[in-house]
Amino acid sequence: MKKILVLGSCGQIGTELVLALRDKFGAQNVVAADLKEECPENLSNGPYIRLDALNKELVRSYIIEQQFSDVYLLAALLSATAEKNPDFAWKLNMESLFIILDLAKEGHISKIFWPSSIAVFGPTTPRFNTPQYTVMEPSTVYGISKQAGERWCEYYYNKFGVDVRSIRYPGLISYKSLPGGGTTDYAVDIYYKAKAGEHFTCFLKEDTALPMMFMDDAIRATIELMEAPAEQVKVRSSYNLSALSFTPKQIFESIQKVIPSFTVSYEPDFRQAIADSWPASIDDSYARENWGWRERYDLDKTTSEMLKNL
Ligand code: NAD
């Protein structure tokens, strides 16, 4: 029987992933774990444990004792936060991964999900329709850590047969929990301001296109990839995954169709340079061909869901 651990469960992705996994596999079979002392209310329908992903001894003994089959490792410092604390970002993003990869190598875990990001690409990568295999020279601490992580995932798969699966998430848009310090956070914040009837000041320029995705699509993709037969999972570094690509101006116009009085101004900060180094759109044909990925949300449908649920 499946027993799942989601480590880093209280963030933007973890909150929704835990709920979706509990729906599918039963609440008692999905343990949420995070640094946070208290279990957030929205995860209180199942088991929760405080666990530091960097505490090697504790993580090892807990996973071995509880006999988890699948581990989703979500604990990380995100792009904007990582730039402010590079040493710690490297430590957290890499060491936590090695702890889990080694447990799988030793046979204590059957399957790992570890998220990568469009941040693995850099300024020398083709910006439009960025291919799965292309130039990758990330220029952020976060991107460097994700690219290194991808290489190690593939290495553990090839060398030790570790069943590790990964997606290069684009910017994720959700209403159940707040984003955790990324460069695409504006595309969530803008809906909060619109819904509150306030003006929005955007930290990116109006014409900065970035790949994005509504959270429901991202969660469904994650579970579909994890449930795909192993032989269909041909990319063992990380899959490109795409749904939307839009600029701050386009998301503003999508919101204005619903709230005509909404206003936006643009004051780019240090995150503009990060965004400029990332792709504008992604070619995800491997995910489509290998395990049947299809998105369901376009920009207007995302806007409608966000404004309805916030
Ligand atoms: P988040 O910052 O919202 O959540 C991360 C969670 O990890 C937080 O609840 C935090 O308390 C927890 N955490 C941090 N350090 C920990 C530790 N030492 N031990 C245990 N828990 C710890 O991040 P997110 O947006 O949910 O992202 C999850 C993963 O997905 C990350 O690896 C991130 O790089 C990746 N990702 C996210 C996005 C996005 O748009 N949200 C895009 C690409 C990739």
Side-chain angles (χ1 to χ4, degrees):
M1 208 229 291
K2 237 184 221 311
K3 190 161 180 198
I4 300 173
L5 177 69
V6 180
L7 186 48
S9 61
C10 300
Q12 192 194 8
I13 299 175
T15 308
E16 301 211 24
L17 183 62
V18 167
L19 296 175
L21 289 169
R22 283 181 180 166
D23 269 355
K24 196 169 167 66
F25 299 110
Q28 289 313 312
N29 298 322
V30 181
V31 177
D34 201 284
L35 258 190
K36 298 203 165 108
E37 205 64 60
E38 298 287 327
C39 173
E41 209 179 302
N42 44 13
L43 294 184
S44 61
N45 68 340
Y48 178 80
I49 176 175
R50 183 183 185 276
L51 190 60
D52 180 352
L54 286 175
N55 189 331
K56 188 171 174 179
E57 290 317 309
L58 259 185
V59 171
R60 283 185 62 84
S61 58
Y62 184 67
I63 287 179
I64 292 170
E65 176 197 301
Q66 295 291 317
Q67 301 187 325
F68 289 104
S69 55
D70 301 6
V71 174
Y72 292 73
L73 173 61
L74 304 181
L77 279 204
L78 271 55
S79 57
T81 320
E83 287 308 300
K84 294 181 178 159
N85 199 348
D87 294 1
F88 183 68
W90 178 255
K91 183 179 169 67
L92 174 60
N93 295 6
M94 299 312 300
E95 284 183 20
S96 60
L97 177 59
F98 277 116
I99 294 171
I100 302 301
L101 284 174
D102 282 333
L103 278 162
K105 174 184 159 189
E106 293 163 25
H108 300 297
I109 303 168
S110 309
K111 227 187 273 181
I112 299 172
F113 179 79
W114 174 82
S116 185
S117 159
I118 54 163
V120 292
F121 301 116
T124 52
T125 302
R127 278 204 77 215
F128 295 93
N129 235 6
T130 301
Q132 175 72 41
Y133 299 106
T134 184
V135 179
M136 291 166 84
E137 296 183 318
S139 54
T140 62
V141 176
Y142 178 68
I144 295 168
S145 75
K146 289 295 185 188
Q147 194 199 25
E150 284 191 9
R151 297 286 86 226
W152 280 111
C153 287
E154 193 184 84
Y155 184 85
Y156 269 66
Y157 172 75
N158 285 333
K159 200 90 179 170
F160 311 118
V162 167
D163 189 350
V164 54
R165 304 172 182 209
S166 176
I167 286 172
R168 291 171 180 154
Y169 288 128
L172 299 178
I173 302 173
S174 66
Y175 57 83
K176 288 190 187 143
S177 60
L178 287 167
T183 302
T184 51
D185 290 8
Y186 91 85
V188 176
D189 300 340
I190 193 168
Y191 289 112
Y192 278 85
K193 293 289 186 194
K195 185 79 188 228
E198 293 173 20
H199 176 79
F200 180 66
T201 307
C202 184
F203 59 72
L204 295 182
K205 290 188 218 156
E206 66 173 8
D207 59 351
T208 309
L210 286 170
M212 301 274 188
M213 184 176 288
F214 188 54
M215 187 62 89
D216 288 29
D217 269 345
I219 299 297
R220 187 171 50 81
T222 305
I223 297 176
E224 283 176 7
L225 173 61
M226 282 296 271
E227 292 309 304
E231 64 275 11
Q232 287 180 15
V233 185
K234 298 187 196 302
V235 175
R236 293 295 182 152
S237 50
S238 189
Y239 274 99
N240 276 8
L241 197 75
S242 165
L244 313 168
S245 165
F246 58 77
T247 64
K249 184 161 184 272
Q250 286 168 323
I251 191 172
F252 164 63
E253 286 167 354
S254 173
I255 294 171
Q256 251 200 345
K257 285 186 212 165
V258 187
I259 307 175
S261 58
F262 183 49
T263 56
V264 173
S265 55
Y266 302 91
E267 286 178 21
D269 67 14
F270 73 100
R271 288 168 281 195
Q272 183 65 47
I274 300 179
D276 288 342
S277 76
W278 288 356
S281 58
I282 296 284
D283 174 355
D284 62 355
S285 41
Y286 281 81
R288 288 173 195 271
E289 280 160 27
N290 290 177
W291 44 277
W293 159 245
R294 299 283 179 278
E295 76 280 11
R296 291 185 186 157
Y297 288 83
D298 64 15
L299 178 55
D300 285 342
K301 197 169 165 196
T302 299
T303 296
S304 155
E305 286 297 306
M306 289 298 287
L307 294 176
K308 187 171 75 195
N309 290 294
L310 276 178

